[in-house]
Amino acid sequence: MTYHIEPIGTVRSPYKEKFAVPRQPGLVPSAHCEVILQGMANSLEAVRGIEQFSHIWLLFLFDQNLEAGWRPTVRPPRLGGNERIGVFASRASFRPNGIGMSAVKLKGIRHHNGQVIIDIGGTDLVDGTPIIDIKPYIPYSDSLPDALGGFASEQPPTLDVKFSPNAQQQLLGKQADYHRDVITEVLAQDPRPAYKKGKSDNKTYAVNLFDFNVQFTVAEPIITVVSIDTLVQ
């Protein structure tokens, strides 16, 4: 038996590609994101009362991975990318039905020219990710203080992020501080492949954030942003 799932909205976020997206929600709290509701879900009636909650669950599709299929085992980055565990013991994006979930901070609801927009913070979703459902986060049932986190029981360590004089000069405009904060929090997670963690190398990496191509180098424990170039539209 098969079932049909239709997205009820789309995410707008600073993350223009999978590389460097936070591996869990809340790791980049400065990032401002939106859920743009669509179809029948694009209605103020559909979100009536949601402002009572500080956080919501987003259920979404790993749309960029759906065609790649899935396997019963995966290599989580938290285990160095070498050890295999069952896909259901992980939050890997290659899943049987490509469904993910994130608990995010609810910042507000806007209604503009017939469009309902949910403002959220700290998400870990690529720009354009399809949302298939939204549910309120219920603290008494969803927060379990005695729960065990297995191999991911603690937040991953972060690196220090510094900006070269050239990169500092390239961050201009009234949103410069916001862009600097998000870039710092994203790169502090060390987005390199798992096998690179704990190592320094001579490679210059690049990631697209906002409308920028951000280039950086790693000499642990410091990540240096060497340039921030505006992407050609």
Side-chain angles (χ1 to χ4, degrees):
M1 185 177 295
T2 60
Y3 299 88
H4 176 73
I5 294 178
E6 185 173 340
I8 53 93
T10 303
V11 165
R12 292 287 174 258
S13 81
Y15 315 117
K16 304 305 179 182
E17 57 187 353
K18 291 187 291 184
F19 179 57
V21 172
R23 291 192 171 94
Q24 300 295 341
L27 295 179
V28 183
S30 294
H32 300 160
C33 307
E34 303 171 339
V35 175
I36 312 298
L37 296 181
Q38 63 192 49
M40 291 186 62
N42 182 31
S43 163
L44 284 175
E45 290 295 298
V47 294
R48 182 195 295 179
I50 199 173
E51 69 280 353
Q52 302 175 62
F53 302 92
S54 65
H55 292 74
I56 55 176
W57 287 104
L58 299 180
L59 278 72
F60 60 91
L61 292 176
F62 289 108
D63 60 311
Q64 296 189 20
N65 293 344
L66 290 177
E67 294 183 358
W70 69 285
R71 294 181 180 180
T73 62
V74 295
R75 294 188 175 100
R78 289 294 293 272
L79 294 177
N82 297 315
E83 182 178 344
R84 281 194 174 274
I85 64 171
V87 65
F88 299 132
S90 79
R91 294 195 179 188
S93 56
F94 296 95
R95 315 194 67 81
N97 290 300
I99 296 175
M101 56 189 291
S102 290
V104 299
K105 183 175 181 58
L106 174 61
K107 292 188 171 184
I109 304 292
R110 287 182 287 135
H111 186 240
H112 180 68
N113 291 335
Q115 178 63 63
V116 178
I117 302 170
I118 303 176
D119 291 311
I120 57 175
T123 188
D124 54 345
L125 304 181
V126 178
D127 187 57
T129 295
I131 301 298
I132 58 174
D133 203 359
I134 298 170
K135 301 178 185 293
Y137 179 93
I138 309 295
Y140 82 85
S141 63
D142 294 349
S143 177
L144 304 172
D146 297 329
L148 299 178
F151 62 85
S153 59
E154 297 180 357
Q155 184 170 322
T158 58
L159 301 181
D160 293 329
V161 178
K162 300 184 181 300
F163 289 74
S164 70
N166 177 57
Q168 288 279 16
Q169 292 178 358
Q170 291 174 307
L171 273 179
L172 300 174
K174 60 183 179 181
Q175 287 193 299
D177 289 342
Y178 168 56
H179 290 154
R180 183 182 297 105
D181 289 345
V182 173
I183 291 171
T184 298
E185 292 172 3
V186 168
L187 297 186
Q189 310 297 321
D190 191 356
R192 296 179 300 166
Y195 69 89
K196 292 279 190 178
K197 300 299 175 83
K199 303 176 182 177
S200 298
D201 58 50
N202 297 320
K203 182 176 179 179
T204 298
Y205 296 87
V207 59
N208 292 336
L209 291 170
F210 302 106
D211 294 323
F212 304 121
N213 179 259
V214 180
Q215 297 188 37
F216 63 96
T217 59
V218 183
E220 294 202 19
I222 297 174
I223 287 180
T224 301
V225 180
V226 295
S227 70
I228 304 173
D229 299 316
T230 301
L231 292 169
V232 178
Q233 299 297 322

